[in-house]
Amino acid sequence: MANNECRECRFVSHGGDVWGFARKYNIPLEEALDFSGPINHLGPSPKALESVKENAKLIRFYPDPNPIELHRSIAEYVNQSGVNSDNIILGNGSIELIYMITEIFSKANFKAVVPVPSFTEYEKAALRLGGQTIYVQLPADFSMENEKIKKAITLDTKIVSICNPHSPSGKLYLKDEVLDLVEYCQKKDVIFSIDENYIEFTDKEQTETMAGYVNKYENLFVIRSVTKFYGMPGIRFGYGVAAKSLISKLLDVRQPWSINSLAGFATLAAFSDKEFIENTKRMIAQERVRFAEQLSEISGLQVFPSDTNFLLVKITNGKITSTKIKEELAKIGMLIRDCCTFVGLDNTYFRVTVRSDKDNQKLVNALKKLMNI
């Protein structure tokens, strides 16, 4: 488990805080090499940027309260049988959706089951409404132990939250093992929330997504955003896919005007940029293999297999901690994700985002020096 210092800061610690990093180390924002936030290093789609410029004048109007065309386009993009515009709900990034799904629980002191390590916001969303988080520790290879998760579900359990591909390991869970949990939760009247923020980085997006099952399982809530794959964390746009009955409950608690107009236009443009999509998938897959091999060659580091744009690394020689590595790299303008803040991990783990070969090589060279101290 994480040490006490890491536990205290886990609720405020995320990757990708380049603003705070640049401010603390007096480094120009554009010169910081950010390996901490698992965001597409290629940046936004050119079409998305152009769309923002073309539609900037529309900010003098309120956003469309019922963006039918946007819902329809997202459903088409999801490209799963039976999913239509009525199955879509929008959010201010995936974060709003993670919090929104807990808002539908009227019963206080409910329990939320979270296999860990995982994204800290699942826990925070439950705590905000007086819920209690029940952790289920994943094994060393981060496999999904379904029977262990099922045993953690009680009469007070209202929601189970997982991410697929898994963060911070990058492991992709296959459809059949996830469906087993979805079905079990449905029988127990428990919401199954699955965060698919990284699924577009995989080559199995269409076969392993749960989006096509929302009409069969009314307890299923699939969360996505344009933050990671589309490189637009600043635009704050996410969407959920669910059965109409669940969408109706979510609409009752959803905050008004949470989606700005430019976010919608940028998203539509990004989804239509086939060249950007194909280039991202190809480059990330190629660089991920090379980056993993280079890191694995460093004595004292174990690199976990990943289907995403990030790699989880374990320090095996005991000579240095992840926190120390983070501090030393920060001094030379590189930011990594110290994973001691994840429940279920400690200061022997860190995570790095796959960037260009040139950037990756800089990090590899710096790590070689640090691991030899």
Side-chain angles (χ1 to χ4, degrees):
M1 298 291 285
N3 59 40
N4 288 334
E5 181 179 353
C6 290
R7 288 186 188 186
E8 290 174 1
C9 67
R10 76 172 186 263
F11 289 122
V12 295
S13 178
H14 289 293
D17 182 16
V18 291
W19 296 91
F21 177 76
R23 192 177 297 118
K24 180 177 180 180
Y25 294 96
N26 195 29
I27 297 172
L29 196 65
E30 294 298 330
E31 294 181 16
L33 272 184
D34 183 18
F35 290 90
S36 70
I39 298 161
N40 188 344
H41 77 280
L42 296 174
S45 151
K47 288 187 176 182
L49 293 176
E50 188 60 33
S51 179
V52 170
K53 294 177 184 178
E54 291 178 355
N55 293 287
K57 60 183 178 296
L58 297 179
I59 62 174
R60 71 182 190 272
F61 300 114
Y62 273 106
D64 185 349
N66 184 29
I68 299 173
E69 296 82 7
L70 182 56
H71 282 236
R72 185 181 300 121
S73 295
I74 292 173
E76 291 174 356
Y77 172 77
V78 170
N79 191 28
Q80 294 290 306
S81 178
V83 174
N84 57 50
S85 57
D86 293 333
N87 296 117
I88 306 297
I89 189 167
L90 308 182
N92 190 261
S94 59
I95 291 293
E96 184 183 16
L97 297 164
I98 289 170
Y99 278 72
M100 194 188 301
I101 190 65
T102 61
E103 292 279 355
I104 67 174
F105 306 135
S106 59
K107 178 183 177 182
N109 301 317
F110 67 91
K111 292 181 180 179
V113 172
V114 180
V116 292
S118 193
F119 190 37
T120 58
E121 296 296 339
Y122 306 145
E123 176 183 7
K124 290 170 65 177
L127 291 174
R128 181 170 173 268
L129 292 177
Q132 177 187 357
T133 305
I134 305 300
Y135 300 121
V136 179
Q137 181 68 51
L138 296 174
D141 65 352
F142 305 104
S143 297
M144 189 74 70
E145 294 183 326
N146 286 17
E147 295 309 311
K148 192 174 180 180
I149 296 171
K150 291 176 182 178
K151 288 181 180 179
I153 296 173
T154 65
L155 293 176
D156 294 325
T157 303
K158 291 297 179 183
I159 186 170
V160 173
S161 297
I162 73 166
C163 45
N164 189 37
H166 177 251
S167 177
S169 75
K171 185 181 185 69
L172 177 67
Y173 300 122
L174 299 182
K175 177 172 58 181
D176 289 345
E177 59 184 326
V178 177
L179 280 175
D180 176 57
L181 286 174
V182 174
E183 291 178 349
Y184 184 83
C185 286
Q186 180 174 254
K187 294 175 183 177
K188 299 294 182 178
D189 194 25
V190 171
I191 294 292
F192 189 89
S193 177
I194 182 165
D195 182 342
E196 292 187 347
N197 260 299
Y198 303 102
I199 201 162
E200 284 135 324
F201 286 110
T202 76
D203 59 1
K204 299 179 180 178
E205 173 190 355
Q206 290 301 311
T207 60
E208 305 309 320
T209 179
M210 288 293 103
Y213 292 89
V214 295
N215 289 314
K216 182 177 181 180
Y217 301 102
E218 295 188 359
N219 66 318
L220 177 60
F221 187 45
V222 181
I223 298 174
R224 292 190 183 182
S225 78
V226 299
T227 295
K228 307 302 192 306
F229 184 85
Y230 286 99
M232 299 194 293
I235 208 74
R236 307 311 306 144
F237 187 86
Y239 58 96
V241 188
K244 295 177 184 178
S245 58
L246 183 53
I247 293 292
S248 178
K249 294 178 182 178
L250 291 167
L251 288 174
D252 287 339
V253 298
R254 182 174 181 268
Q255 295 293 318
W257 311 117
S258 67
I259 306 299
N260 73 78
S261 298
L262 296 183
F265 290 123
T267 296
L268 288 177
F271 284 174
S272 70
D273 196 340
K274 304 303 180 184
E275 182 179 352
F276 173 85
I277 294 171
E278 293 172 3
N279 189 43
T280 292
K281 287 180 178 290
R282 181 179 63 255
M283 290 190 66
I284 294 297
Q286 175 182 305
E287 295 303 330
R288 180 175 63 227
V289 172
R290 179 157 42 196
F291 195 22
E293 290 176 348
Q294 293 172 334
L295 290 171
S296 297
E297 291 172 356
I298 302 175
S299 178
L301 296 183
Q302 174 193 351
V303 182
F304 290 86
S306 173
D307 283 276
T308 66
N309 69 326
F310 57 83
L311 298 168
L312 181 66
V313 183
K314 181 173 176 58
I315 304 165
T316 59
N317 65 8
K319 293 182 180 180
I320 192 170
T321 66
S322 58
T323 303
K324 181 64 174 177
I325 289 177
K326 177 183 177 181
E327 292 172 350
E328 293 301 314
L329 289 174
K331 295 175 183 178
I332 56 175
M334 299 182 191
L335 181 61
I336 65 168
R337 179 66 158 93
D338 181 359
C339 290
C340 76
T341 56
F342 282 93
V343 175
L345 296 183
D346 56 26
N347 60 9
T348 64
Y349 292 88
F350 63 90
R351 188 187 68 193
V352 292
T353 301
V354 178
R355 295 179 60 91
S356 69
D357 180 50
K358 180 181 178 181
D359 291 347
N360 296 340
Q361 193 61 58
K362 288 181 180 179
L363 180 61
V364 168
N365 292 337
L367 285 171
K368 285 180 178 178
K369 295 179 181 178
L370 287 174
M371 295 304 294
N372 285 330
I373 64 174

